[in-house]
Amino acid sequence: MLNGLRGVMAKIFTPIARFLLKLGITPDAVTVAGTLGVIAVALWLFPQGNLIAGSLLLGLLVFTDSLDGTMARLSGRSGPWGAFLDSTLDRLADGAIFVGLAMYFAWTSPSNNHLGMSAALASLVLGLCVSYARARAEGLGLDGNVGIAERPERLVVSLVAALIAGLTDQPAVLAWALVFLAAISAVTLVQRITHVRSQTLVAREEP
């Protein structure tokens, strides 16, 4: 759904990407730095209850996620290694965000502690399963890129909910948003499993 924004973001980041390349900064360095930034913000600000600052900073870092890809294309370094590194570190970044939210409910939130913490951890596990299902399908030569809640949608739901909860001082907003996120992640996982299953059945029936 939100993947269509990548082309727009690439155009916006092109001047920045050219500037960073002139400085001798590599796409891999940007990928690693962005991931470390997400991990630091998520595991430092969220557990302390700084939902507003945390969600805004993470939103900025997440929307610059295409910067390394733009740099790779401009420098002619696009390839399997960059895609592998980016996807792998994305899982670390996602994990940090949801662990940070779970820690917020465990340490700081005055209400909805158990619900929010459980939903955050469920969103983490199901999100990883959704990503793995696609990667495994593609590794087998199949298509697994379907579903209502891909990574961009999951991040938008979690960060917008965290921002609203921080602005309104209502942890319940975030807790129930994470419940919703876990539910749509589960639906997406089932959609991908079903989609891959249908492809294997068709391949089996072909002469």
Side-chain angles (χ1 to χ4, degrees):
M1 188 184 303
L2 295 177
N3 284 333
L5 290 176
R6 288 181 177 176
V8 177
M9 299 304 293
K11 292 181 180 179
I12 294 174
F13 290 132
T14 295
I16 302 174
R18 293 186 188 279
F19 175 72
L20 293 176
L21 288 170
K22 287 181 179 179
L23 294 178
I25 298 174
T26 66
D28 288 353
V30 172
T31 302
V32 173
T35 302
L36 292 176
V38 169
I39 293 173
V41 170
L43 297 183
W44 178 256
L45 293 180
F46 279 163
Q48 296 186 70
N50 295 322
L51 296 180
I52 299 175
S55 57
L56 289 175
L57 287 173
L58 287 172
L60 178 62
L61 289 168
V62 165
F63 278 109
T64 59
D65 185 55
S66 61
L67 180 59
D68 54 354
T70 303
M71 293 174 65
R73 286 189 293 274
L74 291 174
S75 61
R77 298 180 183 178
S78 297
W81 163 248
F84 169 80
L85 181 65
D86 189 59
S87 296
T88 301
L89 294 187
D90 279 350
R91 305 290 80 77
L92 281 176
D94 293 354
I97 290 173
F98 289 106
V99 168
L101 292 174
M103 292 169 69
Y104 160 73
F105 282 106
W107 296 357
T108 311
S109 172
S111 62
N112 299 98
N113 302 63
H114 296 298
L115 177 66
M117 183 170 59
S118 300
L121 294 177
S123 296
L124 167 61
V125 173
L126 288 167
L128 291 175
C129 289
V130 166
S131 297
Y132 176 79
R134 175 180 174 179
R136 184 57 177 153
E138 291 177 349
L140 295 171
L142 303 169
D143 174 44
N145 189 21
V146 298
I148 60 174
E150 298 186 62
R151 184 177 185 251
E153 287 81 8
R154 297 196 300 271
L155 290 176
V156 167
V157 169
S158 57
L159 295 180
V160 169
L163 178 61
I164 295 173
L167 291 171
T168 61
D169 196 25
Q170 294 292 330
V173 172
L174 178 57
W176 285 107
L178 290 171
V179 170
F180 170 73
L181 181 58
I184 62 174
S185 296
V187 171
T188 302
L189 179 59
V190 172
Q191 288 177 310
R192 291 191 171 181
I193 291 173
T194 303
H195 184 60
V196 171
R197 174 63 173 166
S198 65
Q199 293 173 73
T200 61
L201 291 176
V202 170
R204 188 180 302 173
E205 293 172 357
E206 291 179 351

